Amino acid sequence: MSRLKTISAVALLGFSSLFGFSSQAMANECALSISANDAMQFDSKELSVPASCKEVTLTLNHAGQLPKAAMGHNWVLTTAADMQGVANDGMAAGAAKNYVKDGDTRVIAHTDVVGGGSSTSITFSTEGMSATEAYKFFCSFPGHWAIMQGNFVIK
């Protein structure tokens, strides 16, 4: 009987570890990371999350060395249709506003501008977003958005 209890305890421990791993894996699907460099490049052209994610946490890492005044980067999320307008309005907003116009309802999420060696994170809700809509992420630092952009997909 004691051998049966030992086997049951080991099986239960294994099951809970497996279950805990599954929960962790699900949570990690809603956490994204992207890197930018001094050559005005993101390390990914597409980011995706499952439709089950109610919130997404994105971390932007600036892998370069240049200061944010010279080669700063941020991460901005909009619909594909709104990207150019948001980027143009962001230039006018200036560095103090992280190149994002105050109260711009076309912006779904954005990070602060960071310089080389720094990182920043943002957590945002996916409420109202759809797997059928085309979304773009980009850096709104002046002159960057035309090159530094990618697709954000809800699967």
Side-chain angles (χ1 to χ4, degrees):
M1 185 72 167
S2 64
R3 184 168 187 243
L4 182 58
K5 285 182 181 177
T6 303
I7 291 170
S8 296
V10 169
L12 183 58
L13 180 61
F15 178 76
S16 65
S17 294
L18 179 62
F19 182 74
F21 176 75
S22 295
S23 297
Q24 184 67 29
M26 181 70 156
N28 287 342
E29 290 181 331
C30 301
L32 303 172
S33 181
I34 192 166
S35 191
N37 62 32
D38 289 339
M40 291 183 10
Q41 298 171 330
F42 283 123
D43 67 349
S44 180
K45 294 287 186 187
E46 181 176 293
L47 296 172
S48 66
V49 295
S52 60
C53 291
K54 301 297 181 212
E55 284 189 334
V56 174
T57 298
L58 176 111
T59 300
L60 169 65
N61 299 299
H62 192 318
Q65 297 181 1
L66 294 172
K68 74 178 184 178
M71 189 56 69
H73 298 306
N74 65 355
W75 186 89
V76 181
L77 179 64
T78 67
T79 63
D82 289 336
M83 182 180 77
Q84 185 172 355
V86 169
N88 288 334
D89 289 346
M91 284 191 296
K97 308 262 186 204
N98 292 296
Y99 301 105
V100 176
K101 179 179 149 185
D102 277 341
D104 194 335
T105 58
R106 300 169 296 178
V107 175
I108 297 166
H110 73 89
T111 67
D112 291 340
V113 173
V114 293
S118 297
S119 66
T120 185
S121 294
I122 184 79
T123 299
F124 59 95
S125 171
T126 59
E127 186 177 341
M129 296 178 76
S130 165
T132 60
E133 180 74 54
Y135 299 100
K136 297 292 267 185
F137 65 83
F138 59 96
C139 174
S140 66
F141 192 94
H144 292 196
W145 71 271
I147 298 168
M148 294 184 72
Q149 61 176 274
N151 297 312
F152 186 87
V153 180
I154 297 178
K155 294 185 175 183

